[in-house]
Amino acid sequence: MPDANTALLAVRPSQTRLSPDTLRRLPQAVERPAYDRTAVTPGIVHIGLGAFCRAHLATYTDDVLATGETDWGIVGVDPLSPAIRDALKPQDCLYTLLVREGTRDRLRVVGSFLDAMATADQLGEVLALTAKPEIRIVTLTVTEKGYCQDAATGSLDEAHPLIRADLADPTAPRSVPGLLCEAIRRRRAAGQPPFTVLVCDNLAQNGIKVKGIVVRYAELRDPELAAYIAKQVSFPCTMVDRITPATQDADRATVDAALGCADAWPVVTEPFKQWVIEDRFPLGRPAWEKAGAILVDDVHPFELMKLRCLNGAHSLLAYLSVIAGIETIADAMADPQLPAVMRRLWASDLIPTLPPVPGTDIPAYTAALEARFRNPGIRHRTIQISSDGSQKLPPRLLEPASELIATGKVPAVIPLAVAAWMRFLLEKDEAGNAYTVADPMAATLTRIARVHAGDAGALAAALFAIEDIFAPDLVAEAGFRDAVVRHLDSLMTVGVARTLTAILANP
């Protein structure tokens, strides 16, 4: 995502801004809210104001508001920076969704966000809002690392600096677990039933995992409050899917030209979207099914399919592409070898680990994924996808590897993906161009890579020793370990193209 200041500076003082007034004068081809926004009241607080929630949650809710529901508007809260709030508030929180498919663009102005706030300077207001009875759902998109979880166990990282700070001053929380816990405490003190916590991040069993994190934090703060949260607060699991790359200056220029006015922070996305939700909302919910959401009793089969087939393939493509100097996923799909390796990953390593998914043909699902990846209108940068590998690799690729090994099979392509991640940590592509490794463990990982830059075996051994990433039972499997070292040595010595040629020559 561009620097926050870039987004704000992109709007010159002389430019007319997107607003309720300019909304009426937009070109006819631009979709706009099909309801009276002044009649809508907030029912949802959303934590995490990045692009994904505004392409996903907000559009489903926008569609529901268009059916006549008026009490499910969203107030967005940014827990990191006021930048997006400051970009959106002068626009009455309106923004443009630029839906791209090939060379075709469709523009839609979304109106479901009624206000935007930031905990940096509005923490008291945010906590007061979450205590109001009309707020019945708190949704979140804060990424895996936003929950202060231990990467190895998925439980609360009790040594995390934000967690330690919150336990020292729990009524002024800075972490997401601390914020949720204090908000629930205040509602309980006010005699209000708890809101539902709806996690919309790509975590396996996300509701269950985040509930465990929040309950553990509460145990450290107040065991009685922890027992209340464990018993009374609903944390449904969800599966979310919509490819949403970071907005670029060229995208912003396209939007401004099409609108005839300036939008400080539009969002770019693909036409496809999917949302599977466990239907457990004690205080009610929007009729998201009217907008195409799938309400189920158990989201796990859907989430596992998406986490492994889409996100696992993204990780494989991203690390190989960054090393090879390939900028986007669409560019990767134009490579003569990468799509074939991706298909082998699905067929050999990932689809065999999946349970049946209700109403879904999994090979057809992966074929549709390939078509989505090929969309040239979506410039999903491989360096963006490469972030946070220490937290993403275990659920996406290492867990299915362990499951295959438990059945007596050695993964065919997952070792290549792991080797590509290890080679990626060297911070230079094959042409010598430098890039930055964005990861909670970046300092440790890149230091190890620098020390062992000339020795694939030593580099792999040092990384395998990090139990927060690699389960000991997995790296104890000689076939898996040796395959990773072999691929890593090939990537380091002959490069991506020749490595893939050798792999594809041996079905």
Side-chain angles (χ1 to χ4, degrees), residues 417-449:
V418 174
W421 171 74
M422 291 178 172
R423 164 62 181 83
F424 163 80
L425 297 176
L426 294 175
E427 301 179 284
K428 285 186 179 180
D429 68 18
E430 292 175 351
N433 300 306
Y435 51 79
T436 299
V437 172
D439 192 288
M441 299 178 67
T444 297
L445 297 172
T446 56
R447 178 184 55 78
I448 290 171

Side-chain angles (χ1 to χ4, degrees), residues 168-211:
D169 188 6
T171 61
R174 297 167 54 201
S175 72
V176 169
L179 181 63
L180 290 172
C181 192
E182 175 61 11
I184 294 166
R185 184 197 70 79
R186 291 192 180 202
R187 282 184 77 99
R188 184 186 182 205
Q192 298 294 341
F195 45 66
T196 296
V197 178
L198 189 64
V199 180
C200 300
D201 282 297
N202 283 318
L203 296 167
Q205 292 290 272
N206 53 15
I208 294 170
K209 183 168 289 184
V210 173
K211 182 171 186 175

Side-chain angles (χ1 to χ4, degrees), residues 127-433:
L127 290 169
L129 175 63
T130 59
K132 291 184 176 181
E134 58 265 32
I135 300 302
R136 287 151 287 163
I137 302 174
V138 170
T139 55
L140 301 102
T141 50
V142 296
T143 76
E144 293 96 330
K145 59 189 173 187
Y147 297 99
C148 302
Q149 64 173 329
D150 181 283
T153 65
S155 58
L156 179 70
D157 179 0
E158 298 178 22
H160 194 288
L162 291 181
I163 296 301
R164 296 177 67 178
D166 283 0
L167 291 172
D169 188 6
T171 61
R174 297 167 54 201
S175 72
V176 169
L179 181 63
L180 290 172
C181 192
E182 175 61 11
I184 294 166
R185 184 197 70 79
R186 291 192 180 202
R187 282 184 77 99
R188 184 186 182 205
Q192 298 294 341
F195 45 66
T196 296
V197 178
L198 189 64
V199 180
C200 300
D201 282 297
N202 283 318
L203 296 167
Q205 292 290 272
N206 53 15
I208 294 170
K209 183 168 289 184
V210 173
K211 182 171 186 175
I213 289 170
V214 174
V215 168
R216 178 55 185 158
Y217 170 85
E219 287 174 346
L220 297 173
R221 175 184 171 174
D222 177 355
E224 184 180 348
L225 178 59
Y228 173 80
I229 295 172
K231 184 176 182 180
Q232 300 295 332
V233 183
S234 180
F235 288 74
C237 292
T238 69
M239 187 275 274
V240 298
D241 187 4
R242 194 170 204 183
I243 296 172
T244 307
T247 304
Q248 305 296 319
D249 288 341
D251 303 323
R252 194 171 287 108
T254 296
V255 169
D256 290 357
L259 297 182
C261 60
D263 183 343
W265 216 317
V267 175
V268 181
T269 194
E270 63 172 334
F272 178 90
K273 69 178 188 290
Q274 187 177 35
W275 198 7
V276 186
I277 312 168
E278 292 178 351
D279 198 2
R280 296 187 285 109
F281 295 82
L283 300 184
R285 59 168 176 80
W288 282 314
E289 65 272 23
K290 292 181 180 178
I294 303 169
L295 279 298
V296 298
D297 293 328
D298 181 11
V299 79
H300 183 60
F302 295 91
E303 120 190 316
L304 205 61
M305 176 181 68
K306 188 257 180 175
L307 188 67
R308 294 184 178 180
C309 291
L310 189 156
N311 300 123
H314 258 174
S315 289
L316 171 76
L317 293 174
Y319 294 119
L320 289 170
S321 294
V322 171
I323 298 165
I326 299 172
E327 185 180 3
T328 72
I329 290 295
D331 294 337
M333 297 306 292
D335 182 84
Q337 297 173 310
L338 285 170
V341 173
M342 177 189 70
R343 291 186 210 109
R344 187 177 293 185
L345 172 72
W346 284 332
S348 299
D349 293 0
L350 299 183
I351 292 176
T353 70
L354 297 177
V357 181
T360 304
D361 180 316
I362 298 175
Y365 172 80
T366 56
L369 281 180
E370 181 168 347
R372 291 168 61 193
F373 291 172
R374 291 184 184 278
N375 182 353
I378 298 297
R379 293 191 58 77
H380 203 178
R381 298 180 68 227
T382 54
I383 192 67
Q384 178 190 2
I385 298 168
S386 74
S387 66
D388 304 335
S390 66
Q391 299 201 348
K392 291 176 178 176
L393 282 182
R396 295 181 180 190
L397 295 169
L398 302 183
E399 288 176 11
S402 293
E403 292 171 18
L404 286 170
I405 289 168
T407 66
K409 299 176 182 177
V410 176
V413 183
I414 291 174
L416 170 67
V418 174
W421 171 74
M422 291 178 172
R423 164 62 181 83
F424 163 80
L425 297 176
L426 294 175
E427 301 179 284
K428 285 186 179 180
D429 68 18
E430 292 175 351
N433 300 306

Side-chain angles (χ1 to χ4, degrees), residues 39-44 65 68-74 134 136 285-286:
V40 177
T41 56
I44 300 169
L65 295 176
E69 296 193 29
T70 60
D71 56 347
W72 289 111
I74 307 169
E134 58 265 32
R136 287 151 287 163
R285 59 168 176 80

